[in-house]
Amino acid sequence: MSLEIQDNEVDIVIAALQPNLTALFEAWRPFFSRFHIIVVKDPDLAEELQIPSGFDLKVYTKSDIGVLGATSIDFSGHSCRYFGYLVSRKKYVISIDHNCLPAKDNGGLTVDAVSQHMSNLKTPATPKFFNTLYDPFREGADFVRGYPFSWRDGVECMLSCGLWLHNADYDPMTHVVKRNQRNTAYVDAVMTVPYGVMMPMSGINVAFNREVLGPVMAPALRLRKEGKHRWDTLEDVWNGMCAKVVCDSLGYGVKTGLPYVIRSDAEAGEALESLKEWEGVKVMDAVHPFFKSLELSGNATTVEDCIKELTSIVRKELGPKNAIFAKAVDAMEEWTKLWKSHGIHSA
Amino acid sequence: MSLEIQDNEVDIVIAALQPNLTALFEAWRPFFSRFHIIVVKDPDLAEELQIPSGFDLKVYTKSDIGVLGATSIDFSGHSCRYFGYLVSRKKYVISIDHNCLPAKDNGGLTVDAVSQHMSNLKTPATPKFFNTLYDPFREGADFVRGYPFSWRDGVECMLSCGLWLHNADYDPMTHVVKRNQRNTAYVDAVMTVPYGVMMPMSGINVAFNREVLGPVMAPALRLRKEGKHRWDTLEDVWNGMCAKVVCDSLGYGVKTGLPYVIRSDAEAGEALESLKEWEGVKVMDAVHPFFKSLELSGNATTVEDCIKELTSIVRKELGPKNAIFAKAVDAMEEWTKLWKSHGIHSA
């Protein structure tokens, strides 16, 4: 990728759910060191953070979050990263979980996840029609025979969802059932998720255009007993579906695939503990059919207007099914206000 | 893949557009030799076919096609393979172009395209929701967190579209513009094309459930000046979109990705000659928006009924735009009759 990335157009956001970030920062040093890094410390975490020197970095803690005043949004656990999205002043944000290290590609080269995410965001997405040879803008690729010429310009990509080697992002059931399974398949592809198609976005390794999508990138859906493991959460999956609906409505693109990161081991025993109280199956059984049939009117021309429409539909259709959906809508509405007061402007 | 394939459930169909098939058959011998092979000779080809011995094989020629009597369907050129679909008596059909040889995977192993296509067809497809780790039924893979449990059973896969290394399946414009570009990216993935999403199917390397999809696998759309190169044709692209619409309506799946084959060089000079008279851009500019907005009523419960509904819509909406669409509808209707009289029954 010969794509040019300006240092001042990207922030890296790291959610600190555990104190020792030394291994994380040392492993990512070659790729992170030119960028500003926002570390948001889980407000539930008491210990001091350990971060090696040599980075342009700012740590935000419970007291910084407190500046927002009374808010219905819960920034604890994995949701603390969203505070970083709010205080960033850059056009793009990249967020990678604390237990993820750089992966190697099929040729043994270490993957620069920053560069790959930026390439995904800066080259067009093609959501109207599926290109069988995957990303047509990749070097050596193109649109195949039969791909409509009038759709080859594509649209702007707003969201880039990366993947994970070794420990895949499974729900607690799958972690328990397949406790020894590790993902070793490095699939060398990026693809646009077509219009109208929903996918479960993972917040583990993700990048987006903050200027445009910021108002919808909120920690809205929280399970009642949410722990500190990824499998405890669905906030990112919900967020991804909201973002996808908004992108579909406004004519923006969403990509998935490269870059991979390597995720450290899950502990199946802990997954079993989570599972005992996990309401995720029940919740998502309501969420999926809802999003499957959801289509915004197309009248909204801004992300904010799309959210207004979306929250009103969610409140009406999902609200009565489970109190956590009403809470999610509250959080989304609160977020758009926070975005106006504390977010918005890029550098 | 430890999948069991019965010799008597698959026919390999080869369209002979050039007489010497020696290299083709020798290269594929390890994978083709246990299956019955149907070779259909292009009715325009005068020379004797050269085929090595040691195969369970039947050659069909112009005179066999003549047995159908007067028909509006033109079986010349790449369309001759469809005669093979008609006379096959097997549940599944695999068709690979004469200029394609087995590819090697990223580990250097020669790819058994038959086995991969059968695996695609015999494991479920998941068209309701996108799984970010691709085919969840592949060894070592699964559904990711957030993928709805109630949709994890998937649906039956009816169509498997394979890909091509070296000489990719481009239109004549792209062949001319990128005359030296070769596809070297072996993307180790199979994915379901989601419901409602259209893709340009290539007939170069394809497999399908003949028992179910046969009535829609017709050579219907022919460009007025159709030559003997793939880039001269759109019959497979049209066929693929019809098949996709039918599968979407009946709740069946379509997959794309593995297996790859290696395709021999295109000659850019010849592509330039084709280009001078190529009406494909114009035609597809009408076709794509049509299929993009097309949705069958959902009342049809068989492939035949879907085709009735589809042909009536095509005749009304596309018919007035270009005479080749009216001809395509005629051919599709004729094909359903031929299928009843000459096709249908599996072994």
Side-chain angles (χ1 to χ4, degrees), chain A residues 47-317:
Chain A
E47 296 96 317
E48 284 284 305
L49 296 186
Q50 296 168 48
I51 301 174
S53 61
F55 292 93
D56 167 17
L57 177 145
K58 184 159 180 191
V59 176
Y60 294 83
T61 64
K62 196 171 181 173
S63 66
D64 297 299
I65 296 172
V67 170
L68 299 178
T71 169
S72 61
I73 295 180
D74 185 345
F75 285 102
S76 70
H78 280 288
S79 291
C80 71
R81 83 192 54 233
Y82 295 79
F83 184 77
Y85 302 168
L86 196 65
V87 297
S88 165
R89 289 294 172 269
K90 303 293 167 56
K91 181 172 182 180
Y92 301 104
V93 154
I94 298 175
S95 184
I96 291 174
D97 268 12
H98 63 87
N99 59 345
C100 294
L101 302 181
K104 286 186 190 303
D105 68 16
N106 287 325
L109 289 176
T110 303
V111 173
D112 178 354
V114 175
S115 169
Q116 181 67 54
H117 273 305
M118 291 308 294
S119 165
N120 294 351
L121 291 170
K122 288 191 163 195
T123 54
T126 52
K128 288 189 180 179
F129 202 73
F130 189 87
N131 192 48
T132 51
L133 280 188
Y134 313 101
D135 181 4
F137 297 100
R138 210 167 169 199
E139 210 182 306
D142 212 313
F143 293 97
V144 300
R145 178 174 56 98
Y147 200 101
F149 274 82
S150 44
W151 292 344
R152 290 190 185 196
D153 286 343
V155 302
E156 193 174 351
C157 181
M158 293 297 169
L159 181 58
S160 164
C161 306
L163 297 173
W164 345 269
L165 290 173
H166 194 68
N167 180 20
D169 186 10
Y170 293 141
D171 48 70
M173 287 75 81
T174 307
H175 272 301
V176 169
V177 173
K178 298 197 166 176
R179 57 181 67 83
N180 297 317
Q181 182 169 298
R182 296 294 175 262
N183 183 32
T184 57
Y186 185 96
V187 174
D188 193 12
V190 176
M191 69 194 63
T192 297
V193 185
Y195 281 153
V197 175
M198 288 291 131
M199 89 294 182
M201 180 181 90
S202 165
I204 290 172
N205 168 21
V206 73
F208 61 96
N209 184 320
R210 185 191 157 278
E211 275 184 357
V212 174
L213 273 199
V216 74
M217 301 303 283
L221 188 83
R222 285 188 71 108
L223 299 174
R224 257 173 291 249
K225 306 229 175 175
E226 189 170 297
K228 302 293 179 186
H229 293 289
R230 265 293 174 201
W231 60 62
D232 293 320
T233 69
L234 283 175
E235 119 280 336
D236 51 350
V237 173
W238 172 269
N239 178 204
M241 293 209 256
C242 293
K244 183 65 167 61
V245 162
V246 169
C247 285
D248 284 2
S249 183
L250 295 176
Y252 296 134
V254 172
K255 293 182 186 174
T256 181
L258 303 181
Y260 282 88
V261 295
I262 292 195
R263 240 178 129 228
S264 61
D265 276 326
E267 287 168 46
E270 297 181 35
L272 184 59
E273 284 311 304
S274 298
L275 184 51
K276 288 175 183 166
E277 305 201 79
W278 209 64
E279 62 180 330
V281 178
K282 190 178 148 198
V283 167
M284 296 316 275
D285 259 6
V287 166
H288 289 107
F290 170 77
F291 277 100
K292 185 84 195 150
S293 62
L294 176 69
E295 204 173 334
L296 299 186
S297 66
N299 298 331
T301 56
T302 65
V303 172
E304 288 81 355
D305 288 346
C306 286
I307 296 169
K308 260 186 213 156
E309 196 182 333
L310 175 60
T311 49
S312 124
I313 305 174
V314 172
R315 196 182 292 284
K316 195 169 138 229
E317 295 194 19

